Amino acid sequence: KLLGVPSAALNEELGKVKVETRIVKSPVNAEDAFEEDFSSEQPTDWPTDQVEEVVEGEDAADVISPPPRELALCAFLMANEYDKTLDGMIGEFLPPKVFAHDFTRRFVETWRAEVVKNEDLLQDFAGKLEGHEREWFDSVLLSGSKTESSGLSPTDILQDFVRALWADELKRERGSLPASGDAEADLRRMKLSMDLKRLSSVRWAAVKDMVRDWLQ
């Protein structure tokens, strides 16, 4: 609180350090470490206060905040506005369906429109927000302004986001499948689990091929 750094940003960085440390110490279990930290629907090391209580009479989508990882992506994009290379990667590898929250989808769509039109459209986007959405945008703005160099290039960082966000999407799909006993669902569940493990271990070139296959 004294530093004015959002807890979501700190937890995002801490999660990266935990996974990197675990993989270095135990390379054999790298896939398990990735799936635990990057594809769980509700990781234990994420702040529980990121999901607010549903207020009676309000739409749940207007009250429940976006997943911390998605807010972290928004902050990253805020710190890298008008980057055509990142825009190309998002257009190819991060379709709207990968984002769990409508706020994230709209934010990314606006950010991409900025690149095309070379105009400050996020300012107009923010001006139309109210209530919780305005609070989420302000937290993204603050996080983006405090983004420090990690030693990785923006494209390297976005590659990590692509891996993690697709892992989240695969985990959501796996969780939505019917309980065991449905042969088709069981096969799909096994395929998703295999994809999650592979996603954690292959190089970026292979990740691109995997995503392209999923989008076909």
Side-chain angles (χ1 to χ4, degrees):
K1 290 181 180 179
L2 290 173
L3 293 173
V5 179
S7 60
L10 292 174
N11 276 277
E12 185 72 21
E13 290 302 314
L14 180 59
K16 293 177 183 176
V17 172
K18 284 183 177 180
V19 174
E20 289 173 0
T21 302
R22 204 175 310 166
I23 290 175
V24 169
K25 290 182 178 179
S26 183
V28 175
N29 296 321
E31 296 90 346
D32 296 332
F34 179 88
E35 183 168 350
E36 177 185 341
D37 284 285
F38 286 99
S39 63
S40 174
E41 289 182 283
Q42 287 187 317
T44 56
D45 56 355
W46 282 0
T48 56
D49 60 358
Q50 292 301 303
V51 179
E52 305 200 20
E53 266 185 56
V54 175
V55 179
E56 187 176 353
E58 287 195 56
D59 214 31
D62 295 331
V63 178
I64 300 175
S65 67
R69 196 187 328 282
E70 293 190 11
L71 288 176
L73 172 68
C74 293
F76 166 72
L77 295 178
M78 181 70 78
N80 292 275
E81 288 186 88
Y82 309 109
D83 190 314
K84 293 183 178 180
T85 301
L86 298 183
D87 175 59
M89 290 177 64
I90 291 173
E92 186 172 6
F93 302 114
L94 288 179
K97 75 169 189 174
V98 173
F99 304 118
H101 203 284
D102 181 63
F103 174 83
T104 313
R105 287 190 288 269
R106 286 158 39 222
F107 182 98
V108 173
E109 179 183 359
T110 304
W111 183 91
R112 296 195 64 205
E114 272 199 345
V115 177
V116 174
K117 297 183 178 181
N118 198 33
E119 299 175 7
D120 188 4
L121 300 181
L122 283 173
Q123 183 175 356
D124 296 335
F125 174 80
K128 298 175 182 177
L129 300 177
E130 298 179 351
H132 292 286
E133 289 197 331
R134 181 67 208 200
E135 293 173 6
W136 302 334
F137 183 88
D138 288 344
S139 71
V140 165
L141 186 65
L142 180 60
S143 298
S145 67
K146 293 180 177 293
T147 299
E148 297 181 4
S149 174
S150 62
L152 297 174
S153 70
T155 53
D156 288 336
I157 294 172
L158 187 56
Q159 288 174 13
D160 289 342
F161 272 116
V162 170
R163 284 180 189 263
L165 289 167
W166 269 104
D168 292 341
E169 168 64 13
L170 296 182
K171 188 65 178 292
R172 284 194 298 271
E173 181 183 348
R174 189 173 66 178
S176 70
L177 292 172
S180 278
D182 183 315
E184 186 175 345
D186 287 344
L187 285 174
R188 180 60 181 162
R189 187 179 293 107
M190 182 182 300
K191 176 65 165 59
L192 289 169
S193 296
M194 292 173 62
D195 284 343
L196 278 164
K197 289 184 178 296
R198 184 163 183 256
L199 188 62
S200 72
S201 59
V202 298
R203 295 182 180 275
W204 172 242
V207 172
K208 292 192 293 184
D209 290 338
M210 292 176 70
V211 172
R212 286 166 181 154
D213 287 342
W214 296 332
L215 292 175
Q216 286 181 355

